[in-house]
Amino acid sequence: MEWRAEGILLGVRRHGEHAAILDLFTEGLGRHMGVVRGGASRKMAPLLQPGAQLDATWRARLDAHLGSYTVDLIRGRAADAMDDRLSLAGLSAVCALLAFALPERHAYPALYARTLVLLDGLGAGRWPEAYLGWELALLEETGFGLDLSACAVTGVTQDLAYVSPRTGRAVSVAGAGDWADRLLPLPGALRGMAGGDPAEVVAGLRTTGHFLTEHLAPSLGDKPLPPARQRLVDLIAARAQPVSG
């Protein structure tokens, strides 16, 4: 068995004394594991950083086997992100969430394409807005997408202000009634209307965070969300605070 593909390196863990197991996210094959001989060496370690774009060839005797990788670096992203805390936190969060949420060997071509754009845009002024849209796409791909097109109660498309924490559907001001305090906020950022307001993005991330934590994570077992996601949200929130004085 053999294939060759380009992919995003999500994670690396040591395997034995000198080898490493790579978790690679590819367009056509999804997440795919494989062993790199010498992957734990000083020569290879700087190249095998999460977020790196790799040209990989995978080989195994049988398809069900772990198999082995030979890889060439196309683009390293970690070094470029080192000078900016937000970029580095974003890179870590994206890779950690993909490794956490996606099953192995299931293709997600649309999510892969969106992830490439997101990672290539690290450091852009409105990158947090793009990241929020990416979280919505991740929820959609994993079966927990939000339906924000119309009110779940009345069917109207105007004055949408809330999200049902149970169904992920939008609710209007009138439709919420006495239940408003039990619903999640629906900031404009979740409908692509942040207008560059970082506070809107933070509010949106709190809502997507509910569905990641309360819906996606329980479906995968007892593991909590990767801490890298909360570190990113905290950093975005801190930068959203107005500067006093």
Side-chain angles (χ1 to χ4, degrees), residues 170-209:
V171 181
S172 67
V173 174
D178 295 337
W179 292 83
D181 61 348
R182 303 185 186 184
L183 302 175
L184 299 169
L186 173 51
L190 286 180
R191 304 185 73 198
M193 299 182 294
D197 184 349
E200 279 273 308
V201 175
V202 173
L205 288 169
R206 292 194 183 104
T207 296
T208 55

Side-chain angles (χ1 to χ4, degrees), residues 2-241:
E2 179 176 334
W3 53 258
R4 181 180 178 182
E6 184 178 314
I8 302 165
L9 181 59
L10 302 183
V12 183
R13 69 175 187 268
R14 198 177 186 95
H15 182 66
E17 190 171 349
H18 302 293
I21 295 177
L22 304 191
D23 185 352
L24 196 67
F25 181 38
T26 69
E27 181 178 21
L29 298 155
R31 284 182 58 224
H32 212 290
M33 303 287 188
V35 177
V36 171
R37 307 299 174 188
S41 68
R42 290 184 178 181
K43 178 182 178 180
M44 291 291 291
L47 306 179
L48 301 180
Q49 296 294 318
Q53 199 73 20
L54 301 178
D55 179 6
T57 299
W58 180 87
R59 297 181 180 88
R61 190 169 63 86
L62 297 174
D63 185 60
H65 289 177
L66 176 62
S68 63
Y69 275 130
T70 54
V71 297
D72 290 308
L73 180 66
I74 298 173
R75 177 181 180 183
R77 295 186 173 95
D80 293 338
M82 285 294 181
D83 293 333
D84 178 52
R85 288 182 62 202
L86 183 62
S87 294
L88 189 59
L91 182 64
S92 298
V94 170
C95 291
L97 276 174
L98 288 170
F100 174 82
L102 301 185
E104 291 184 47
R105 304 190 181 193
H106 287 258
Y108 297 90
L111 183 62
Y112 177 83
R114 187 156 191 160
T115 302
L116 273 183
V117 173
L118 184 72
L119 294 181
D120 287 344
L122 280 166
R126 294 173 67 169
W127 188 87
E129 288 181 52
Y131 174 79
L132 175 60
W134 179 86
E135 281 201 348
L136 286 171
L138 177 64
L139 286 167
E140 183 70 31
E141 290 279 9
T142 52
F144 300 99
L146 308 187
D147 181 356
L148 308 177
S149 59
C151 176
V153 180
T154 66
V156 301
T157 58
Q158 304 297 319
D159 297 321
L160 303 178
Y162 305 100
V163 180
S164 166
R166 184 176 63 85
T167 66
R169 296 188 64 188
V171 181
S172 67
V173 174
D178 295 337
W179 292 83
D181 61 348
R182 303 185 186 184
L183 302 175
L184 299 169
L186 173 51
L190 286 180
R191 304 185 73 198
M193 299 182 294
D197 184 349
E200 279 273 308
V201 175
V202 173
L205 288 169
R206 292 194 183 104
T207 296
T208 55
H210 168 84
F211 292 96
L212 290 169
T213 302
E214 302 298 329
H215 292 258
L216 173 61
S219 76
L220 300 172
D222 297 328
K223 297 185 298 181
L225 281 184
R229 195 262 176 188
Q230 189 58 50
R231 287 195 293 268
L232 173 62
V233 173
D234 290 344
L235 186 56
I236 293 173
R239 295 194 177 189
Q241 295 297 319

